Amino acid sequence: MSPVPAAPQATRPRPRAPEAAPPPRPPRRSRPADLWPYLLIAPTLAGTAYLLVYPLVRSVVISFQHFRLGELIRGGAEFAGFDNYAEVLGGAEFWTVVRRTLVWTAVNVVLITLIATLIALMLPRLGRWMRLTVMSGMVLTWATPVLAATTIFQWLFQSRLGVVNWLLVTLGFDSFKDYTWFADGDSTFVILVALVVWQSVPFAALTLYAGLTTVPAELYESARIDGATGLQIFRSVTFPILRPLFGLVTSLEVIWVFKCFAQIWAISKGGPDEATTTLPVYAFQIAQSLHKYDLGSAVSTLTVLILIAVLITHLRRMLKHEGEQL
């Protein structure tokens, strides 16, 4: 008998030698190219700090000092604590101006948002050239300088040479012959509202129209097949999708209208009988006309705080609706 061959023995793998740790990388040296982004935005940050941050901080500091004309000339303003705020908040005139400012802001923002929404919904239904003409007109209106637009409205409502009085008299309203619009507080308020709305609608309308172009057309077609009316389509399709954009536009309009100053000061300087005096105008009157820079700074600081409170309330409501939808 031939011998049985022995079974081959399994070879064990040899243990691998531990790999050497990679050598530590040298610290990366900053290259000049890495600093370019910061260098490019540095002028903007510096300009913003000088034009916005420094005046705000300086105004807050003055609001806690006794700072009148004498201190402006010779310096050495004394610390007054919260005396300026107590004097401002303790006066009935300040709260009257606050209420007027809130009414002014609400009326303008509602009209701007409503008219801008209607224009934005109208633009897709226009022909190409008509849509281009309307959009070009809005861009030109938006680009018109504030004082130039204010001068135009002053001429339109001028008592003897104004177009509005001439048109009303031509239509048979003889009582408006040589009518002085800017002598009455309510009519001056209405004219200023018309001016601000006319200047603000183009931005809001074009922004909302740009948002409308992103809504899928299939959603509109499905809603029409289900028999939805135009108002139902807007409430169920358009507005829910564009709610964040509506919130952004409304917030920006609140800021711009709340701090509106140039138009009011150029036309009425807060009159007649303080009917158009809002918080920015009131602060300027106290600081420049009465030379009470400390009280004017206190009113300015309170104006910023009230605006922040209004915006926080608005944004909280908007975020609450967003959370309910999710």
Side-chain angles (χ1 to χ4, degrees):
M1 294 180 62
S2 59
V4 179
Q9 297 181 355
T11 58
R12 295 181 179 179
R14 296 181 179 179
R16 300 177 60 182
E19 296 182 358
R25 295 182 181 180
R28 183 182 177 184
R29 298 179 180 179
S30 59
R31 295 175 297 176
D34 298 336
L35 301 177
W36 268 112
Y38 304 99
L39 294 177
L40 290 175
I41 66 173
T44 303
L45 295 178
T48 302
Y50 180 75
L51 296 176
L52 297 179
V53 178
Y54 172 75
L56 179 62
V57 174
R58 181 59 176 160
S59 177
V60 173
V61 172
I62 293 177
S63 68
F64 288 98
Q65 297 176 334
H66 180 79
F67 201 100
R68 303 295 171 89
L69 185 60
E71 286 74 15
L72 178 65
I73 297 175
R74 64 175 181 267
E78 297 180 357
F79 180 73
F82 289 93
D83 293 346
N84 296 322
Y85 291 94
E87 182 175 350
V88 170
L89 295 174
E93 185 178 7
F94 173 77
W95 297 108
T96 302
V97 175
V98 170
R99 287 191 295 268
R100 186 183 300 116
T101 305
L102 295 177
V103 172
W104 159 265
T105 304
V107 170
N108 277 282
V109 172
V110 169
L111 290 176
I112 291 169
T113 306
L114 178 61
I115 297 174
T117 302
L118 295 176
I119 294 176
L121 294 173
M122 177 192 68
L123 286 175
R125 293 167 172 79
L126 299 178
R128 178 182 178 183
W129 291 107
M130 180 58 68
R131 181 168 61 250
L132 181 61
T133 302
V134 174
M135 294 177 65
S136 300
M138 288 194 295
V139 170
L140 291 176
T141 301
W142 187 31
T144 302
V146 173
L147 292 181
T150 304
T151 303
I152 293 173
F153 269 71
Q154 285 178 313
W155 170 70
L156 288 174
F157 291 92
Q158 209 270 341
S159 58
R160 293 188 177 182
L161 303 176
V163 176
V164 175
N165 283 354
W166 170 81
L167 181 61
L168 292 174
V169 172
T170 303
L171 294 176
F173 299 96
D174 295 332
S175 59
F176 286 94
K177 183 178 181 180
D178 296 338
Y179 181 77
T180 306
W181 292 87
F182 299 109
D184 180 70
D186 293 336
S187 62
T188 305
F189 189 91
V190 172
I191 293 172
L192 286 170
V193 168
L195 171 59
V196 173
V197 170
W198 180 75
Q199 289 180 306
S200 304
V201 161
F203 168 79
L206 293 175
T207 303
L208 294 177
Y209 171 69
L212 284 173
T213 59
T214 64
V215 180
E218 294 81 4
L219 298 179
Y220 292 126
E221 295 177 1
S222 301
R224 294 189 185 96
I225 292 174
D226 293 337
T229 62
L231 181 59
Q232 291 174 336
I233 292 175
F234 177 79
R235 293 176 59 183
S236 303
V237 178
T238 305
F239 185 73
I241 295 177
L242 299 183
R243 187 188 297 272
L245 189 59
F246 273 98
L248 174 62
V249 170
T250 305
S251 300
L252 291 176
E253 295 299 340
V254 168
I255 294 173
W256 293 337
V257 173
F258 196 93
K259 67 183 185 65
C260 178
F261 172 80
Q263 297 92 325
I264 299 176
W265 189 257
I267 287 182
S268 64
K269 291 181 173 58
D273 299 329
E274 300 181 353
T276 58
T277 299
T278 58
L279 281 172
V281 177
Y282 183 60
F284 186 82
Q285 289 175 340
I286 294 176
Q288 297 298 324
S289 300
L290 303 179
H291 301 292
K292 297 180 179 180
Y293 305 106
D294 45 6
L295 297 181
S297 298
V299 173
S300 299
T301 304
L302 292 172
T303 301
V304 174
L305 295 177
I306 294 174
L307 179 57
I308 292 175
V310 172
L311 288 175
I312 290 177
T313 304
H314 171 67
L315 293 176
R316 286 185 63 183
R317 291 184 59 186
M318 185 178 69
L319 294 176
K320 181 180 178 181
H321 287 295
E322 290 292 331
E324 292 175 354
Q325 287 187 346
L326 295 176

